[in-house]
Amino acid sequence: MRRVILITGGQRSGKSRKAEEMALSMSQKPIYMATAHVWDDEFRHRVEIHQQHRGPQWTNIEEERWLSQYDVTGRVVLVDCITLWLTNLFFDTRNVEEALQTAKTEFDRFIRQDATFIFVTNEIGSGSVSENEVQRQFTDLQGWMNQYIAKQADEVILMVSGIPMKIKSEK
């Protein structure tokens, strides 16, 4: 039976840790699908820390764009994270509408599988409006995609300072 869980919150709010705990409570061999593109040495270091934190029980998949090309049927899969995935799609075209349509189509294809999906995302629009046009466009893209996923999710959790707050439970 398909299940979709969305975990959202600000940077360093505990989203990834919560998602990993949930995945491990549901499966002895979950899939970790990392969507990051490594832009620089500092980010590479962040990725390495995340990889070291996870143990050998994880099946690791690095995929920057095309999540649906992987068969995850019957598995628990943690996708970390929607924000980095959208960044990759957005910078392919620098067009919000195109990136949003691509993301929705790919998301829909991916979750057609009979699996448990845990998606991690960021709430980047909770602060002030950026002076940077590209950042404002990306914030719109992120907000619209978060809404799209949340609407289809069975459960949505907002992380605040390491504390999970359920904001949606089962459809």
Side-chain angles (χ1 to χ4, degrees), residues 101-119:
Q101 190 53 53
T102 299
K104 286 179 176 181
T105 300
E106 183 61 14
F107 176 81
D108 290 344
R109 273 191 206 123
F110 187 48
I111 67 164
R112 279 190 199 124
Q113 300 179 67
D114 184 16
T116 297
F117 299 92
I118 303 171
F119 293 96

Side-chain angles (χ1 to χ4, degrees), residues 41-78:
D41 288 338
E42 185 273 337
F43 196 75
R44 178 176 283 106
H45 181 68
R46 285 178 182 242
V47 169
E48 289 168 357
I49 289 171
H50 273 278
Q51 290 171 339
Q52 291 168 5
H53 174 73
R54 293 190 300 272
Q57 66 270 38
W58 290 91
T59 299
N60 292 297
I61 298 172
E62 304 282 334
E63 180 53 52
E64 296 180 13
R65 288 172 185 77
W66 311 117
L67 311 179
S68 68
Q69 71 177 318
Y70 296 93
D71 182 0
V72 297
T73 303
R75 304 284 301 272
V76 172
V77 58
L78 189 169

